[in-house]
Amino acid sequence: MTDSPSSAAPTAERKKLTPAADPKTKRPYTVAEDGFRTTVYEMVGQYGTHVDPPAHFDDNGVGLDEIPLEQMILPLVVLDDTPYLAKDSNHAFSVTDLQAWEKKHGRIPRGSFVALRTDMYKDFDSDPERFKRSPFPAWAFETIKFLYEQRGVTATGHESLDTDTTDKMESETYLLQKGHYQIEVMANLDKVPPKGALIVVTWPKVKKGLGFPARAFAIVP
């Protein structure tokens, strides 16, 4: 459930990848001459599919290394926004939409990871400009609040670059300042069931890290 950014990807301007070189000769290392090769990465933490820890929006929030391991393997719930997009291509998934989903699939379990499917990921490589559009299909702020306050979920994720389309990023500010993390720019949510899978999310253990590319995958029964 992770995008693999290319040079044409929507977040490509946020990174620079160059071959590592011998500091004396400035010649890039090669397998033929040195027996190995490696890369120097220069990028913003919020690059491609990535994790936002609470510290991203909260001076007192936990960083990447402080998120408990038990919060990185969770029951996965996928809410589907795509049926609403024919009438409104920028539909914000509402509490009413969520309640309709629960009538069909059952109550969202406490402690779960809830992801919003919009199929935006299909534009990530093929049409980067469309992927970066604004507005875009996303969460409604009241839905994010409902999930954390009424359903007790642990974390949320979505396919877009931002949580919602509000000018003040209300949803992202709310959940991060409440001590939760989120995964942005998710992919392949159309390939996992609405309920019953597990999600595993991983990232490097950067001390006090404020964000980093993440690998997310589902274990499907």
Side-chain angles (χ1 to χ4, degrees):
M1 295 185 291
T2 306
D3 273 307
S4 299
S6 66
S7 59
T11 49
E13 70 277 4
R14 301 183 181 190
K15 63 96 171 112
K16 181 180 179 182
L17 310 181
T18 55
D22 184 309
K24 294 180 180 179
T25 66
K26 308 301 181 184
R27 177 185 59 78
Y29 295 113
T30 65
V31 174
E33 296 189 51
D34 305 289
F36 70 95
R37 57 179 179 166
T38 188
T39 304
V40 175
Y41 297 87
E42 297 179 53
M43 61 189 178
V44 67
Q46 280 66 26
Y47 172 64
T49 302
H50 63 269
V51 56
D52 288 334
H56 182 40
F57 272 33
D58 183 357
D59 287 337
N60 298 313
V62 300
L64 294 178
D65 60 315
E66 300 168 299
I67 295 175
L69 285 175
E70 56 265 27
Q71 292 188 14
M72 298 168 70
I73 305 176
L74 297 168
L76 174 63
V77 168
V78 179
L79 303 179
D80 190 359
D81 199 28
T82 60
Y84 305 97
L85 301 183
K87 291 185 178 180
D88 179 6
S89 61
N90 301 313
H91 182 75
F93 197 83
S94 68
V95 173
T96 300
D97 301 333
L98 186 154
Q99 291 170 334
W101 183 97
E102 288 190 321
K103 285 184 179 180
K104 183 177 181 180
H105 300 286
R107 187 182 177 95
I108 292 173
R110 175 173 293 274
S112 58
F113 183 108
V114 181
L116 181 65
R117 174 192 167 189
T118 59
D119 286 353
M120 282 186 68
Y121 85 93
K122 295 177 180 179
D123 293 325
F124 188 83
D125 287 314
S126 63
D127 194 349
E129 290 306 311
R130 175 172 169 74
F131 181 86
K132 291 190 292 184
R133 71 189 184 275
S134 184
F136 48 83
W139 295 104
F141 177 40
E142 64 268 18
T143 309
I144 285 290
K145 290 187 68 177
F146 184 90
L147 284 169
Y148 286 104
E149 295 178 8
Q150 303 300 319
R151 294 296 180 262
V153 305
T154 294
T156 47
H158 44 269
E159 299 180 37
S160 54
L161 288 167
D162 288 307
T163 316
D164 64 30
T165 58
T166 63
D167 292 336
K168 296 182 180 180
M169 296 186 285
E170 292 174 321
S171 296
E172 187 164 0
T173 300
Y174 167 84
L175 72 92
L176 295 180
Q177 292 187 353
K178 290 291 185 180
H180 302 280
Y181 75 86
Q182 68 173 6
I183 303 293
E184 296 192 298
V185 197
M186 298 186 75
N188 299 310
L189 291 172
D190 55 326
K191 298 176 183 177
V192 294
K195 199 174 180 181
L198 292 175
I199 187 171
V200 181
V201 287
T202 64
W203 52 80
K205 193 177 179 181
V206 180
K207 188 173 181 63
K208 302 294 183 182
L210 303 180
F212 213 91
R215 186 72 184 265
F217 61 91
I219 301 173
V220 180

